[in-house]
Amino acid sequence: YPQNCVEFSAGHLLHRLYVLQQTYLHISTESMAQVAEEFELPVSQVASVVDFYAFFYQKPVGRYHMLLSNCTSCGYQTDQHNLLEMICRLLNVKPEITRPDGRVSVGETSCIGMCDHGAAMLINGVPLVGLNAEKLAHITHLISENQPLSCWPMEWFRVENNIHKQDVLLNEHIQPGSSLKKALAGDSQRLLDIILHSGLRGRGGAGFDTGRKWQLCREAEGKAHYVVCNADEGEPGTFKDRVLLQSYADALFEGMALCAYVIGARKGFVYLRGEYRYLLNHLQNILKRRYEQSLLGPSILGKAEFSFDIEIVVGAGAYICGEESALIESMEGRPGIPRIRPPFPVTHGYLGQPTAVNNVETLIAAAYVAYHGSDWFKAMGTEQSTGSKILSVSGDCRTPGIYEYTYGISVQQVLSDCGAKNAQAVQIGGPAGALVAKKDFSRQISFEDLSTGGSFLIFGAHRDLLSVNQNFARFFAHESCGFCTPCRVGTRLLESSFQKIADGRATRQDIQEIKQLSALVRRYSHCGLGHTAANHILDGLKDFSDIFEEKLVQTPFTPSINLDAALEDARQITRRDDADAHLE
Ligand code: SF4
């Protein structure tokens, strides 16, 4: 049964606020002042944190608080929009407004990582999967009876792994401690050399060399060094970390300890996305066992000079915290706004100290490399992409779930394996990744070609790609942290442009403006979210221009003013007349 109130360190600001949220169903101004005093922080900082994270509320939510995932992928097996309308109608509640009796509230949220389970929601923070009309009617009845979640059908909360294809990582469970034993038999330089020679690259999509990252961190000067596991996967269509955390957490903690050994860290953190809070008890139990086995804590495996502790920090619903510097800000108890880089976390990370941030899959792969050796790892994959990649496959296919391949696999092969017979396109790497059209299905999953964090979202021939694009545009507008203008304003404008197209009010001029705006958001935004927010639009316009064309109003539109000329005064004041100071 789900547990929605788990014991964990209340010493972290996010955790303290979570407890208040659970207790009072909101965080009041008085609570913020109280927390500010406890943490010796300005009230404004606490207020900015409450304001920033989607899972904190300043007005009370219902005792049953439901957030339906509005991810494109999860909704494919049902009509999400209808489900939201239906549950609101059945419960006599309006979206985002708590029912006057305080019993229930309903809202939407971005992908909750259940894309292989059909339509899904978080209820009081716990995933409830496989939603349909019948289940919603049953839920309404249980709520009217005031039944606690522990009395609801257990199978509603059962989250399966759905592993359909295993390769090197998923096939084998190394015994807890076996990689560490091997590594600690030699010195840390030897382990670093193994990781360097393996060619292991970050599995989040950017593909930075893992050994190089550890080396830079090890060489950076600081009072302390830190290991951080980024378990904040939030890319719509991604759910592999859910499975890895559920069934391969030992290897993850082993990988973190190995990283600590190389960089000289005594402390590590797992930053767990708020949507996966239900895994917290399970992870803490594994941590507890590892302490008992001397695989964590002081003098690991009897090696007096190697001590390492791991703590879990749980996020609160902010996609941007998947960006490593935003994640560190969040760990330090602030809104997850990306830092200006350089300096990079390897030299100035958590508390300004050298920090190695790696994602879940990378750290697990490191544990396997340490056990089997670099040659074993290098023998798989392609020249620049060694080893394997775990894909989260969802959308229009017979068997959505987890598929692991050595790098270099073609898109077409993945489609065949998961039973996607009639795909017109695949979104690889989430909305920030690449939209791959049928003509390009021979392309390969690899850093040389299609780099991905793991999301593999399939669109059948019957799918309306325009509404998919619109959903993605809404996602970025919602998840922009608001720090920089090009992204904050640009993503909103792109969202409204899509609404205009969908409403049949757009002209060719709007398409031109979307292209210009997309280029501007990509070029001038502060962090990766903004840099990639328009990828899906530009890909869509390149390969599927007809779906946009069909919706356009076929009357020529002539702007009533010349916008570029209107900027002339501004150019003179700023003494700029370069190409970027012009709209064309
Ligand atoms: Fe925030 Fe977007 Fe700017 Fe990144 S690009 S800092 S998400 S507003």
Side-chain angles (χ1 to χ4, degrees):
Y1 277 106
Q3 310 212 357
N4 55 7
C5 193
V6 198
E7 297 238 348
F8 57 100
S9 152
H12 194 282
L13 180 62
L14 292 185
H15 297 177
R16 180 74 182 97
L17 291 172
Y18 170 76
V19 171
L20 284 169
Q21 173 72 47
Q22 289 296 101
T23 310
Y24 302 110
L25 301 176
H26 76 302
I27 300 167
S28 65
T29 312
E30 293 75 26
S31 294
M32 289 183 221
Q34 179 197 329
V35 171
E37 204 175 311
E38 282 172 27
F39 282 76
E40 298 180 359
L41 292 171
V43 179
S44 57
Q45 183 174 334
V46 177
S48 66
V49 169
V50 173
D51 197 42
F52 185 83
Y53 294 91
F55 293 166
F56 294 145
Y57 305 94
Q58 295 177 49
K59 288 193 179 151
V61 293
R63 292 193 296 283
Y64 296 93
H65 178 53
M66 286 175 263
L67 290 172
L68 270 77
S69 167
N70 61 16
C71 170
T72 310
S73 175
C74 322
Y76 264 22
Q77 288 154 41
T78 45
D79 184 338
Q80 275 165 328
H81 189 63
N82 277 349
L83 288 183
L84 180 66
E85 271 182 18
M86 188 183 297
I87 190 80
C88 286
R89 196 174 60 248
L90 288 168
L91 291 165
N92 191 24
V93 65
K94 291 200 171 93
E96 315 293 346
I97 298 174
T98 303
R99 210 167 72 179
D101 65 359
R103 183 175 294 191
V104 64
S105 53
V106 178
E108 287 184 271
T109 188
S110 301
C111 181
I112 60 171
M114 300 290 151
C115 316
D116 51 341
H117 284 74
M121 68 155 100
L122 292 174
I123 179 159
N124 295 354
V126 183
L128 193 161
V129 297
L131 291 178
N132 53 33
E134 192 188 346
K135 202 173 274 185
L136 290 190
H138 196 165
I139 287 171
T140 308
H141 173 71
L142 291 167
I143 290 176
S144 71
E145 300 259 300
N146 218 3
Q147 293 281 353
L149 290 191
S150 56
C151 296
W152 292 25
M154 191 164 73
E155 64 273 16
W156 290 2
F157 302 98
R158 189 172 293 134
V159 178
E160 305 287 352
N161 277 350
N162 289 328
I163 298 174
H164 297 298
K165 184 168 184 321
Q166 297 171 297
D167 210 299
V168 284
L169 294 194
L170 299 179
N171 247 335
E172 191 186 353
H173 285 269
I174 45 175
Q175 282 297 313
S178 48
S179 297
L180 263 174
K181 268 186 207 133
K182 277 200 171 187
L184 299 192
D187 63 14
S188 57
Q189 181 62 52
R190 182 171 151 265
L191 175 59
L192 175 59
D193 288 340
I194 291 171
I195 302 294
L196 278 167
H197 292 145
S198 72
L200 174 64
R201 296 171 67 172
R203 267 43 186 160
F208 192 81
D209 187 293
T210 304
R212 180 84 183 115
K213 181 181 276 188
W214 292 11
Q215 186 176 35
L216 288 168
C217 193
R218 171 190 170 96
E219 289 167 358
E221 286 186 13
K223 284 189 288 205
H225 289 59
Y226 295 100
V227 179
V228 173
C229 167
N230 183 347
D232 194 46
E233 68 171 358
E235 210 67 80
T238 312
F239 47 89
K240 66 178 172 50
D241 283 2
R242 182 197 85 211
V243 175
L244 294 174
L245 292 164
Q246 174 63 48
S247 299
Y248 297 83
D250 253 311
L252 165 65
F253 296 139
E254 192 112 349
M256 290 179 72
L258 294 166
C259 177
Y261 188 54
V262 169
I263 69 171
R266 295 176 65 91
K267 178 91 191 181
F269 297 91
V270 175
Y271 187 93
L272 181 69
R273 73 183 300 222
E275 290 81 349
Y276 292 168
R277 179 184 292 279
Y278 74 101
L279 293 170
L280 185 56
N281 257 1
H282 160 74
L283 294 173
Q284 282 177 325
N285 285 338
I286 294 178
L287 281 179
K288 189 162 168 270
R289 176 175 44 73
R290 291 183 71 87
Y291 274 99
E292 287 162 5
Q293 294 171 322
S294 185
L295 300 174
L296 281 171
S299 306
I300 290 176
L301 291 173
K303 192 146 186 145
E305 65 276 23
F306 181 41
S307 302
F308 182 57
D309 292 303
I310 293 179
E311 191 180 314
I312 301 174
V313 176
V314 188
Y319 166 72
I320 188 59
C321 289
E323 197 276 347
E324 61 179 7
S325 67
L327 182 152
I328 290 169
E329 284 287 300
S330 181
M331 280 176 43
E332 292 183 7
R334 284 189 289 276
I337 294 173
R339 294 176 177 173
I340 292 169
R341 303 186 312 167
F344 292 95
V346 280
T347 57
H348 297 76
Y350 181 61
L351 303 178
Q353 302 304 312
T355 304
V357 185
N358 288 114
N359 82 354
V360 175
E361 191 180 345
T362 311
L363 288 161
I364 291 175
Y368 283 76
V369 171
Y371 185 74
H372 290 290
S374 50
D375 289 342
W376 166 82
F377 196 72
K378 269 179 100 156
M380 297 175 283
T382 68
E383 197 181 334
Q384 292 171 43
S385 313
T386 54
S388 68
K389 181 79 198 91
I390 301 171
L391 300 176
S392 314
V393 175
S394 65
D396 292 318
C397 63
R398 198 178 61 245
T399 48
I402 297 295
Y403 292 74
E404 184 191 9
Y405 296 94
T406 49
Y407 274 110
I409 191 76
S410 71
V411 172
Q412 183 57 61
Q413 186 60 53
V414 182
L415 290 171
S416 304
D417 291 349
C418 68
K421 287 207 172 109
N422 205 11
Q424 61 171 317
V426 183
Q427 184 73 32
I428 292 180
L435 179 66
V436 178
K438 194 171 190 169
K439 66 181 171 55
D440 296 322
F441 283 174
S442 59
R443 291 182 65 184
Q444 296 179 340
I445 306 292
S446 66
F447 293 110
E448 298 95 315
D449 188 0
L450 288 166
S451 175
T452 172
S455 169
F456 191 99
L457 179 49
I458 303 162
F459 306 121
H462 60 294
R463 289 291 164 199
D464 175 3
L465 288 185
L466 193 63
S467 79
V468 169
N469 256 286
Q470 190 177 2
N471 180 294
F472 289 168
R474 195 180 308 132
F475 168 77
F476 283 116
H478 182 257
E479 296 297 341
S480 166
C481 81
F483 170 73
C484 65
T485 310
C487 172
R488 183 184 64 246
V489 179
T491 51
R492 289 271 169 215
L493 288 174
L494 288 170
E495 182 192 14
S496 56
S497 299
F498 269 96
Q499 192 59 53
K500 198 173 172 187
I501 298 173
D503 292 346
R505 293 183 288 113
T507 65
R508 285 228 157 67
Q509 181 73 20
D510 289 292
I511 299 294
Q512 281 313 314
E513 281 176 12
I514 286 176
K515 283 183 182 166
Q516 283 173 2
L517 194 53
S518 297
L520 187 145
V521 172
R522 177 183 271 183
R523 183 158 184 192
Y524 293 108
S525 290
H526 171 61
C527 82
L529 186 146
H531 297 156
T532 55
N535 284 359
H536 65 100
I537 302 172
L538 295 170
D539 284 349
L541 284 167
K542 178 165 68 72
D543 285 328
F544 297 94
S545 56
D546 50 326
I547 62 164
F548 291 83
E549 290 282 337
E550 282 167 15
K551 286 276 188 178
L552 297 183
V553 181
Q554 296 304 330
T555 49
F557 170 75
T558 312
S560 57
I561 61 163
N562 181 338
L563 273 180
D564 189 57
L567 286 174
E568 189 51 37
D569 284 350
R571 280 193 289 268
Q572 285 186 15
I573 292 167
T574 55
R575 295 187 191 166
R576 278 191 61 183
D577 200 19
D578 56 291
D580 287 340
H582 287 269
L583 289 174
E584 296 298 335

